[in-house]
Amino acid sequence: MCYKIQYNINTADFINIRRNVGWNDIPYQLVEKAINNSMINISVFYKKQCIGIGRIVGDNVLKGMLTDIMVLKEYQGKGEGKLILTSLIN
């Protein structure tokens, strides 16, 4: 599969993927604030559909934490999560 990686996350994509994987809903405004306050954001696209996301949050000096690594259920188990992780840390 050929993926496109973008270094941003659309708020609606975040919410949709979160619902798809069965995580609880978070209000749109809080998601938007969280994304805007992240150190690094990654979105993975396949055929123009966002299929996965990931973020690094931290202090921008010493610490960063991987968080919200999510892949749509129908794409799980095919290496997309690994792609997100390697894109975040490289």
Side-chain angles (χ1 to χ4, degrees):
M1 290 188 189
C2 186
Y3 300 105
K4 180 180 178 185
I5 297 171
Q6 292 184 357
Y7 286 87
N8 60 29
I9 297 174
N10 176 282
T11 304
D13 289 337
F14 183 100
I15 291 169
N16 289 335
I17 293 173
R18 190 174 174 89
R19 285 180 182 151
N20 177 272
V21 300
W23 292 5
N24 62 329
D25 282 343
I26 298 174
Y28 186 95
Q29 295 82 0
L30 293 180
V31 171
E32 191 169 55
K33 185 174 183 178
I35 291 169
N36 290 336
N37 287 321
S38 300
M39 292 170 52
I40 302 173
N41 295 306
I42 294 278
S43 296
V44 176
F45 289 83
Y46 178 68
K47 295 184 178 180
K48 298 185 180 183
Q49 178 187 16
C50 184
I51 63 160
I53 59 171
R55 303 187 305 131
I56 294 180
V57 298
D59 60 19
N60 285 308
V61 179
L62 299 174
K63 301 288 182 180
M65 180 179 73
L66 296 165
T67 189
D68 296 324
I69 311 298
M70 299 180 275
V71 176
L72 291 175
K73 285 181 182 180
E74 55 268 31
Y75 291 92
Q76 291 177 5
K78 300 174 184 170
E80 289 79 357
K82 184 176 182 177
L83 175 63
I84 293 168
L85 288 172
T86 56
S87 298
L88 283 168
I89 61 175
N90 287 333

